[in-house]
Amino acid sequence: MLRASFRSTAVTAAVVLLAVSCSSRTSEPEATLPSTVAPAAAESSAGVTGINVGIVLNTTSPTADRDARLADVMAASASAVSNAQAVDVQVETVAISDLAEVPAAVTDLVNRGVTVIATSCDDSSMPTVVDAALEAELLAVTGCVAIPKPELDVSNRLFIDLASLDDAPSAMAQWAHDQGHSSIAVLSSELIPDVSQTCADVEDFATAAPRQMELATKGSFVGLVDDPAVLVASLAAQLPNADVIVLCALAPALGDTVAALRSAGLEQPVLVPWFGEPQVWSEGTSDVFVFSPSSLQDDDPSEPVIELYDELENAEAVDVVAADTLAVLAVAADRSQTVGSRRIADALRGTSVEGLSGTLAIGRGVELPVRRQYRVLEVTDGEMTFVETTGG
């Protein structure tokens, strides 16, 4: 049985978010100490005991309701992380109704002791929030997992894309290779560019050295518009040559395409990226493998993840990314023995950090900024169960 009481199959349900908060206060214009200040003497001797993470919530954005949910997710995540780490995490929020309020909101958060800003899922305010955070010499991190992914062109060392799931394609390609598969077929929906790009990335990772798997065929369709059966029929001569089929689509087109494959007599394993996790599978669907950052089935290999989901209503598999974001920040603060933004950033880059879900490797640059462990969830007779972890 699924833990969540509601599992939507609508396209919007695949737009999953993680961001933050515990409290909301009005903005205060006066700045206080710079965020990169060295720890006080007492803090140096006793060790850092807490870190404050802030978020600016745009109440007039299309994602306002989703970001309100993120407040609950991050509050629960902060509590879970504080129980698991040596450093307590507090999350502060400031609500705005206009982008012109962002600088004052960031100043307000600095006044509360915030040294890290986590972004919400509002792509209209995200660049402004990140710019204001960097201007204040705060560490800015992403706090949201979304389809489509908001674009941020930032190379500042005080920005880290901690909510990235861009390493999922390489994890999928490696797992397929490790299972002994030597050829793949790639089917992708063109409805949202991020979805089709994921399949393109899986193809690139699978066919390049050292894996060098053969590409048997590939095809595309427009989810919710095209009939998947037509796509499958157009590739009927080539699809049987693939050991495994990689399928990138959102629910419900994802489930419909798997059904079309099975109806055509194609029984190969089907590999699905993380954004397909919300799909409700029809009874009898089997040999589908979903690559997700966590499992909602009470069988996640991390007990703290299971405990976190006990606290959340209608938990989503990507909620764990919020918890991992807070966890790595807590570890970095403990390592550097300061809550200074630059020192936390330096303590993270190029290292491996234990998150709530497992080990995360933080890159030094902007390419593949985070590598995490993914849960391989197998669908058997319509039910998903955890099989193993991969990636990282």
Side-chain angles (χ1 to χ4, degrees), residues 286-365:
S286 295
D287 293 321
V288 175
F289 297 87
V290 182
F291 292 74
S292 172
S294 67
S295 173
L296 292 172
Q297 322 306 317
D298 289 326
D299 58 1
D300 194 276
S302 171
E303 188 63 33
V305 171
I306 296 175
E307 293 173 358
L308 170 65
Y309 288 158
D310 282 337
E311 301 297 320
L312 297 177
E313 183 178 356
N314 297 330
E316 298 172 353
V318 292
D319 287 341
V320 76
V321 179
D324 282 337
T325 294
L326 297 182
V328 299
L329 292 172
V331 171
D334 187 47
R335 283 179 179 177
S336 60
Q337 286 298 286
T338 176
V339 295
S341 304
R342 195 171 301 278
R343 295 187 186 182
I344 291 175
D346 290 343
L348 282 177
R349 290 192 178 276
T351 64
S352 293
V353 184
E354 283 302 313
L356 208 70
S357 68
T359 303
L360 285 77
I362 314 298
R364 293 188 179 277

Side-chain angles (χ1 to χ4, degrees), residues 97-110:
S97 58
D98 189 279
L99 295 186
E101 301 172 42
V102 168
V106 170
T107 297
D108 185 353
L109 291 171
V110 172

Side-chain angles (χ1 to χ4, degrees), residues 99-133:
L99 295 186
E101 301 172 42
V102 168
V106 170
T107 297
D108 185 353
L109 291 171
V110 172
N111 287 335
R112 302 188 207 174
V114 164
T115 56
V116 181
I117 298 287
T119 62
S120 70
C121 289
D122 173 30
D123 58 358
S124 65
S125 66
M126 187 181 294
T128 306
V129 169
V130 170
D131 287 346

Side-chain angles (χ1 to χ4, degrees), residues 9 105 109 124 138 151 180 202 207 222 245 273 281 303 305 377 379:
T9 58
L109 291 171
S124 65
L138 300 175
E151 292 293 332
V202 175
T207 56
V222 178
I245 298 172
W281 300 98
E303 188 63 33
V305 171
L377 309 178
V379 180

Side-chain angles (χ1 to χ4, degrees), residues 186-199:
V186 178
L187 306 180
S188 62
S189 168
E190 302 292 325
L191 184 64
I192 297 177
D194 288 13
V195 171
S196 58
Q197 184 60 51
T198 299
C199 255

